[in-house]
Amino acid sequence: MAAVYLPLDKRPVANTICLFDVDGTLTPARRTLSPEMLTLLSALRQKVAIGFVGGSDLAKQQEQLGSSSVPVTSLFDFCFAENGLTAYRLGEALPGNSFIKWIGEEKYQRLVKFILHYIADLDIPIKRGTFVEFRNGMINVSPIGRNASIDERNEYERYDKQHGIRAKFVEILKDKFADLGLTYSIGGQISFDVFPTGWDKTYCLQYIEAEGARHDGVSYTTIHFFGDKTYKGGNDYEIYEDPRTVGHSVTSPDDTAMELKKLFGL
């Protein structure tokens, strides 16, 4: 039987919401949510509003956080896939946005052609498939390819840390496409995101701020954010550093759990 939660404006810890990155914060990279973390989040939701904000699309968030019988939109009060370009509040969709509408086909093709040529010429130990993944609000670029197995992802992550493949790639793109107004954000083990400047994870905060104007909403004065890629260039950096949030830098789902227990007495 599904847990029953108080309305947002009746949660015991008033005017407070906890937002979470997904990979490396709630789950191991590209793995699923553990039963222990699910139980902890449910207990937390009895006290405060909770939400996730991730770069992947909603289908991938469903794979990681939900199950075949439980929609991810029922497990969190707020669901922000693709940094909030796909957004849900209490299971209901909120207005979204699109990367391709913003950039236009001509500029998009110029960018993608260069990326694919660069990856083709890249000398790395392993390449698989799906080097550019088109998403609603961004593109995700992976030098090894998103079809890599978990073992291959782990091996590539070690290689990338040693040789800085993604970091060099990003610097070249910044220089080559300086006119496009794009931001590049390294996240996860094998890829980086490319999106319009301002469409990082702080994009979702507009929805949290808009809550105060709703008849059934809450003016959230405390927005906790938990993430593992909080360093400059990481995809949690902007929201972690944003003055509207209280940032918590974590190293793993276990570290997140420990921090939550300490903060909220769970």
Side-chain angles (χ1 to χ4, degrees), residues 167-183:
K168 287 175 196 165
F169 198 167
V170 161
E171 287 309 308
I172 288 166
L173 290 173
K174 280 181 179 176
D175 182 60
K176 178 80 176 171
F177 297 98
D179 60 312
L180 294 188
L182 295 169
T183 292

Side-chain angles (χ1 to χ4, degrees), residues 133-206:
E133 183 176 79
F134 178 80
R135 298 175 182 172
N136 181 51
M138 66 180 73
I139 56 171
N140 179 265
V141 179
S142 175
I144 185 179
R146 295 192 64 84
N147 293 10
S149 69
I150 287 168
D151 286 345
E152 288 165 347
R153 284 165 178 259
N154 291 339
E155 181 58 39
Y156 175 81
E157 184 180 29
R158 287 190 287 271
Y159 184 86
D160 189 79
K161 280 179 179 170
Q162 186 180 350
H163 297 279
I165 301 298
R166 288 182 291 175
K168 287 175 196 165
F169 198 167
V170 161
E171 287 309 308
I172 288 166
L173 290 173
K174 280 181 179 176
D175 182 60
K176 178 80 176 171
F177 297 98
D179 60 312
L180 294 188
L182 295 169
T183 292
Y184 305 84
S185 186
I186 296 170
Q189 295 178 290
I190 62 166
S191 65
F192 59 90
D193 297 329
V194 184
F195 49 85
T197 299
W199 286 21
D200 51 59
K201 286 183 179 174
T202 60
Y203 188 89
C204 77
L205 296 178
Q206 64 186 285

Side-chain angles (χ1 to χ4, degrees), residues 7-239:
L8 294 174
D9 60 353
K10 299 290 193 294
R11 304 281 167 94
V13 183
N15 308 106
T16 300
I17 183 169
C18 291
L19 295 176
F20 300 91
D21 164 55
V22 180
D23 277 341
T25 301
L26 291 180
T27 75
R30 296 303 307 142
R31 308 296 280 272
T32 56
L33 197 65
S34 71
E36 294 79 13
M37 181 60 83
L38 191 59
T39 300
L40 188 66
L41 289 173
S42 182
L44 178 65
R45 196 177 176 189
Q46 299 288 356
K47 295 192 170 196
V48 300
I50 67 169
F52 72 79
V53 51
S56 296
D57 61 26
L58 192 64
K60 285 198 175 65
Q61 310 293 11
Q62 175 63 36
E63 285 174 20
Q64 279 187 266
L65 302 172
S67 69
S68 57
S69 59
V70 180
V72 66
T73 52
S74 71
L75 296 174
F76 296 83
D77 301 302
F78 295 90
C79 299
F80 299 122
E82 299 183 77
N83 293 348
L85 294 166
T86 301
Y88 280 78
R89 177 191 190 272
L90 300 176
E92 298 291 323
L94 297 169
N97 210 334
S98 155
F99 177 51
I100 196 67
K101 276 195 294 187
W102 179 86
I103 195 171
E105 190 64 34
E106 185 184 342
K107 290 176 181 175
Y108 174 72
Q109 288 210 25
R110 181 159 63 95
L111 174 67
V112 169
K113 280 178 185 175
F114 180 88
I115 287 169
L116 291 173
H117 277 293
Y118 184 92
I119 291 173
D121 294 335
L122 201 56
D123 188 17
I124 55 176
I126 295 172
K127 286 181 190 169
R128 290 299 176 254
T130 312
F131 302 103
V132 177
E133 183 176 79
F134 178 80
R135 298 175 182 172
N136 181 51
M138 66 180 73
I139 56 171
N140 179 265
V141 179
S142 175
I144 185 179
R146 295 192 64 84
N147 293 10
S149 69
I150 287 168
D151 286 345
E152 288 165 347
R153 284 165 178 259
N154 291 339
E155 181 58 39
Y156 175 81
E157 184 180 29
R158 287 190 287 271
Y159 184 86
D160 189 79
K161 280 179 179 170
Q162 186 180 350
H163 297 279
I165 301 298
R166 288 182 291 175
K168 287 175 196 165
F169 198 167
V170 161
E171 287 309 308
I172 288 166
L173 290 173
K174 280 181 179 176
D175 182 60
K176 178 80 176 171
F177 297 98
D179 60 312
L180 294 188
L182 295 169
T183 292
Y184 305 84
S185 186
I186 296 170
Q189 295 178 290
I190 62 166
S191 65
F192 59 90
D193 297 329
V194 184
F195 49 85
T197 299
W199 286 21
D200 51 59
K201 286 183 179 174
T202 60
Y203 188 89
C204 77
L205 296 178
Q206 64 186 285
Y207 296 108
I208 303 302
E209 291 185 311
E211 279 294 296
R214 295 180 64 115
H215 73 279
D216 59 345
V218 174
S219 292
Y220 289 108
T221 53
T222 305
I223 305 170
H224 292 281
F225 172 76
F226 299 81
D228 66 318
K229 299 286 191 301
T230 56
Y231 50 83
K232 191 168 178 60
N235 65 357
D236 297 323
Y237 175 77
E238 289 85 1
I239 190 169

